[in-house]
């Protein structure tokens, strides 16, 4: 069995690191306090209106130079040239959002050039309470794309995505735990590595995620205070509960 992964997700607005709540900037951080040694992977997301700014590209370069783990980068990728730029500055993988829906051949083109292991497709979900179902949201959670998450995931895989990131907008920043029902409803129907993001507020939430779903990695941002002790303590807790986790 492959070991589970702990991935930290960092969200940047105009070059400044923020935590988010319901996909909106909520609290400002500084990258100087991020533990670059104990994490398994790192995700950088640009939520700025102006994409591909010098500030964000320099951030990619900074983390790729100082953090010796796989680095995934997303935010505004609309064409192969955008992905080229992120790879040029040090990304190991790119994360696609709703633009993959508008131009699904984009996935195929990037996959053909870099391999499907280089592409993660984010599925940003929001619950339609009256209808008791989830829909896929685009434009940083602002636009309902009127798509079923499973159908979107299957489409993305058919075009050449290597893994899927499930994100619950309503849980983002809540610290109340992952939406295990949503994660299972999608992951059980997709044959690929699955990452989960949105809601981790304790080590128990991460443990529940690994015990009750078949996902490969727990992504989080707000639970950590970006210190080595906190990440190592999380991994110790998981190992003590018989979860095979990377060192």
């Amino acid at each position: 069995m492959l070991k589970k992964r702990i991935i930290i997700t960092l969200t940047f607005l105009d070059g400044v690191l923020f935590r988010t709540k319901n996909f909106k900037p909520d609290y400002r951080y500084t990258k100087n306090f991020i533990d670059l040694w104990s994490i398994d992977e790192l995700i950088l997301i640009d939520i700025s209106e102006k994409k591909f700014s010098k500030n964000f590209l320099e951030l990619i370069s900074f983390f790729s130079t100082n953090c010796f783990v796989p680095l995934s980068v997303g935010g505004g990728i609309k064409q192969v040239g955008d992905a080229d730029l992120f790879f040029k500055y040090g990304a190991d993988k790119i994360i696609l959002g709703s633009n993959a829906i508008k131009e699904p051949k984009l996935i195929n083109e990037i996959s053909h050039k870099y391999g499907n292991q280089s592409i993660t497709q984010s599925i940003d979900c929001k619950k339609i309470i009256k209808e008791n179902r989830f829909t896929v949201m685009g434009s940083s959670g602002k636009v309902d794309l009127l798509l079923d998450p499973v159908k979107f995931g299957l489409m993305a895989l058919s075009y050449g995505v290597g893994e899927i990131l499930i994100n619950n907008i309503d849980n983002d920043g809540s610290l109340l735990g992952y939406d295990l029902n949503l994660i299972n409803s999608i992951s059980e129907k997709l044959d690929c590595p699955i990452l989960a993001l949105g809601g981790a507020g304790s080590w128990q939430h991460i443990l529940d995620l690994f015990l009750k779903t078949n996902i490969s990695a727990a992504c989080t941002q707000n639970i950590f205070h970006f210190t080595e002790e906190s990440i190592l303590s999380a991994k110790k807790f998981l190992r003590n509960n018989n979860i095979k986790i990377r060192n």
Side-chain angles (χ1 to χ4, degrees):
M1 178 183 293
L2 293 176
K3 292 183 178 180
K4 303 295 187 180
R5 293 172 281 159
I6 300 291
I7 301 175
I8 285 185
T9 303
L10 304 179
T11 305
F12 292 90
L13 175 64
D14 299 328
V16 179
L17 175 61
F18 279 86
R19 76 180 185 193
T20 61
K21 190 169 185 179
N22 305 130
F23 271 36
K24 298 177 181 177
D26 181 54
Y27 187 86
R28 179 172 177 166
Y29 284 122
T30 169
K31 68 178 186 296
N32 295 327
F33 292 99
I34 303 167
D35 168 28
L36 300 177
W37 298 100
S38 301
I39 57 175
D40 299 317
E41 295 183 26
L42 183 63
I43 291 175
L44 309 182
I45 300 292
D46 185 16
I47 60 172
S48 310
E49 288 293 329
K50 181 182 178 181
K51 305 296 185 184
F52 309 103
S53 68
K54 181 180 179 181
N55 283 341
F56 188 65
L57 294 175
E58 288 178 347
L59 284 167
I60 299 172
S61 180
F62 169 84
F63 283 108
S64 67
T65 301
N66 293 281
C67 189
F68 301 102
V69 297
L71 176 64
S72 299
V73 182
I77 297 173
K78 296 180 179 179
Q79 55 190 356
V80 176
D82 299 333
D84 291 339
L85 193 59
F86 283 163
F87 285 125
K88 176 183 176 181
Y89 274 82
D92 297 294
K93 294 188 282 187
I94 53 100
I95 298 177
L96 296 178
S98 58
N99 288 323
I101 298 171
K102 302 171 186 176
E103 293 290 342
K105 66 178 182 179
L106 173 64
I107 300 174
N108 187 263
E109 292 172 353
I110 297 175
S111 178
H112 180 75
K113 187 171 185 178
Y114 293 102
N116 66 351
Q117 81 288 341
S118 68
I119 309 174
T120 300
Q121 176 65 58
S122 179
I123 304 180
D124 301 327
C125 304
K126 187 173 182 63
K127 190 167 189 177
I128 308 300
I129 298 176
K130 291 182 179 180
E131 301 176 20
N132 193 31
R133 65 176 179 83
F134 282 90
T135 186
V136 179
M137 303 294 289
S139 301
S140 299
K142 300 182 183 72
V143 178
D144 187 347
L145 300 174
L146 305 174
L147 281 173
D148 174 74
V150 172
K151 290 182 180 179
F152 177 41
L154 290 171
M155 182 210 75
L157 291 174
S158 71
Y159 276 94
V161 160
E163 63 183 7
I164 297 289
L165 169 61
I166 302 172
N167 200 352
N168 186 327
I169 295 174
D170 299 313
N171 276 32
D172 180 47
S174 71
L175 304 179
L176 297 176
Y178 296 95
D179 189 330
L180 303 181
N181 290 331
L182 170 67
I183 293 165
N184 275 323
S185 70
I186 299 175
S187 63
E188 289 175 353
K189 296 177 176 64
L190 303 181
D191 184 18
C192 69
I194 304 287
L195 320 180
L197 176 63
S202 69
W203 304 157
Q204 185 64 46
H205 290 156
I206 298 176
L207 176 62
D208 289 342
L209 178 70
F210 287 141
L211 288 176
K212 299 177 181 180
T213 76
N214 63 354
I215 62 92
S216 304
C219 304
T220 183
Q221 57 175 336
N222 295 347
I223 188 175
F224 292 115
H225 295 289
F226 304 124
T227 65
E228 182 174 358
E229 182 180 358
S230 68
I231 297 172
L232 289 179
S233 66
K235 290 189 171 185
K236 181 179 179 181
F237 174 81
L238 294 169
R239 289 193 191 96
N240 288 342
N241 283 277
N242 300 314
I243 300 298
K244 293 184 178 181
I245 197 81
R246 295 183 183 181
N247 294 326

